[in-house]
Amino acid sequence: MTAGFQLGVIGSLTLSVASSVAIVICNKALISTLGFPFATTLTSWHLMVTFCTLNVAQRLRFFEPKAIDGQTVVLFGLLNGTSIGLLNLSLGFNSIGFYQMTKLAIIPFTVLLETIFLKKRFSETIKFSLLVLLLGVGIASVTDLKLNFLGSILSGLAISTTCVGQILTNTIQRKLKVTSTQLLYQSAPYQAAILFATGPFVDQLLTSRSVFAHKYTFPVVGFIVLSCVIAVSVNFSTFLVIGTTSPVTYQVLGHLKTCLVLSFGYTLLRDPFTARNILGILVAIFGMALYSYFLVREGRKKAAGDALPVSQMPEKETEPLLASTKDGGDAKKANGVAHDC
């Protein structure tokens, strides 16, 4: 792992955290203070502004677009858009505590899917650190756990679509050799389209109010514009982080954001804060530190193994090199259908 790549990863993580915390604070003011509760419709506007921004950037030659199979892009965009709508519905039909449990369940479900379908192995130390992290976030954020049948179904669908969408974000970038910007540019219109079409209905179902009948004052419009501007950074950094790290690391980062939001809510907005919140945040931060330490340590071990001279490697390690020349045609075919994984 080169120093330049490490700096890029650190930069993407920092951008993701900063932009996500900023948009949460902005949206909290927009929804709670200014009374604009239409979260799904707002997300569709975020994605439309993101696409327009990337379109301008592409015309100014800030990046080169890369053609991706149309079916892959459409299905990927619709899947991600659907997951956002399902998460909002899950929040609307469940208690806050159960919704937080839904978000916590994304990490173990992602690990399970990657283990089964992608044959990825997670060490016991990584699993332990994730357990500590989830325990801490659970203590800090989960309160009541009221269950209902419809809410449970929506949460299950939200978890499934979110995990698959994030795994595909990573897989498509690696297998098809596209950057995070190129993938976001291609998929954002489809994500925006499904949310733009369904958002007003979802929001009306959850709030019993129409987004079209809302009174748009100058402060409301101002915060909507600010939210859309920040969202460009949020969407870009999301694809960047998943592409340069992994879906599990992105979820770990998401729980760091949860802890930061709780802390900012107390210090800036004077939200209620208890000893339980403090304990949970400290445990979660400890879990994140363990995860980072074990991840870096395993990365160094792998890099050291890759750097061994051929003479020091077991004979069986060299066998695939011979097979790769024979199976080159099959490998090219596999790359062509990688998006189906």
Side-chain angles (χ1 to χ4, degrees):
M1 188 180 293
T2 65
F5 179 77
Q6 289 178 328
L7 287 175
V9 171
I10 293 172
S12 66
L13 295 174
T14 303
L15 178 63
S16 180
V17 171
S19 57
S20 295
V21 173
I23 202 169
V24 166
I25 294 174
C26 177
N27 288 349
K28 184 176 178 64
L30 181 61
I31 293 171
S32 301
T33 306
L34 298 176
F36 186 85
F38 311 109
T40 310
T41 303
L42 180 63
T43 304
S44 71
W45 296 344
H46 287 170
L47 288 163
M48 283 191 290
V49 171
T50 298
F51 172 70
C52 291
T53 303
L54 290 177
N55 192 41
V56 172
Q58 183 267 322
R59 291 178 181 277
L60 294 176
R61 299 290 188 269
F62 282 105
F63 73 94
E64 288 295 325
K66 185 173 182 179
I68 305 175
D69 175 62
Q71 184 179 4
T72 300
V73 173
V74 172
L75 292 177
F76 173 73
L78 293 179
L79 177 66
N80 276 337
T82 301
S83 74
I84 294 170
L86 286 170
L87 282 170
N88 285 337
L89 283 171
S90 174
L91 176 59
F93 283 92
N94 289 304
S95 64
I96 297 296
F98 192 80
Y99 174 71
Q100 290 296 338
M101 285 297 296
T102 298
K103 292 170 66 178
L104 290 178
I106 292 174
I107 282 184
F109 197 75
T110 301
V111 170
L112 179 64
L113 289 180
E114 289 195 305
T115 301
I116 293 174
F117 295 104
L118 301 182
K119 309 303 180 185
K120 186 173 181 179
R121 293 186 177 182
F122 295 85
S123 66
E124 295 303 318
T125 52
I126 290 292
K127 292 177 183 177
F128 173 73
S129 64
L130 291 174
L131 180 62
V132 174
L133 165 66
L134 295 176
L135 176 64
V137 177
I139 293 172
S141 61
V142 176
T143 51
D144 56 320
L145 284 176
K146 297 176 183 177
L147 302 179
N148 67 81
F149 180 73
L150 178 59
S152 299
I153 294 296
L154 290 171
S155 290
L157 292 173
I159 292 169
S160 303
T161 53
T162 300
C163 291
V164 173
Q166 291 180 359
I167 290 172
L168 283 178
T169 300
N170 179 269
T171 303
I172 290 173
Q173 289 185 58
R174 288 188 296 105
K175 297 293 185 181
L176 302 185
K177 307 298 183 186
V178 296
T179 66
S180 56
T181 308
Q182 290 168 334
L183 180 57
L184 181 59
Y185 176 69
Q186 295 281 356
S187 63
Y190 301 102
Q191 295 182 60
I194 189 170
L195 290 175
F196 189 74
T198 61
F201 300 102
V202 171
D203 288 333
Q204 186 154 17
L205 180 65
L206 297 176
T207 66
S208 300
R209 294 165 58 184
S210 172
V211 66
F212 304 109
H214 189 76
K215 184 178 181 180
Y216 290 88
T217 62
F218 182 77
V220 169
V221 173
F223 269 89
I224 289 174
V225 171
L226 178 60
S227 180
C228 289
V229 170
I230 300 173
V232 175
S233 177
V234 172
N235 291 325
F236 172 74
S237 62
T238 295
F239 278 61
L240 188 61
V241 168
I242 295 176
T244 55
T245 57
S246 71
V248 172
T249 298
Y250 175 72
Q251 285 299 323
V252 170
L253 189 69
H255 292 306
L256 170 60
K257 299 170 193 174
T258 299
C259 294
L260 289 175
V261 168
L262 288 172
S263 302
F264 277 116
Y266 172 71
T267 55
L268 299 179
L269 305 174
R270 298 303 176 189
D271 287 343
F273 212 62
T274 65
R276 174 177 169 173
N277 297 133
I278 297 173
L279 174 63
I281 289 174
L282 292 176
V283 172
I285 291 174
F286 178 63
M288 291 173 210
L290 285 177
Y291 177 79
S292 301
Y293 171 75
F294 291 136
L295 200 64
V296 169
R297 189 178 70 174
E298 291 181 10
R300 287 175 177 170
K301 284 183 179 179
K302 183 179 178 182
D306 293 341
L308 283 175
V310 175
S311 61
Q312 294 184 25
M313 292 184 179
E315 286 187 20
K316 64 179 181 180
E317 294 292 338
T318 62
E319 291 176 4
L321 295 176
L322 299 175
S324 64
T325 59
K326 179 179 65 176
D327 299 333
D330 292 338
K332 290 180 180 178
K333 291 179 183 177
N335 282 335
V337 295
H339 56 270
D340 293 329
C341 297

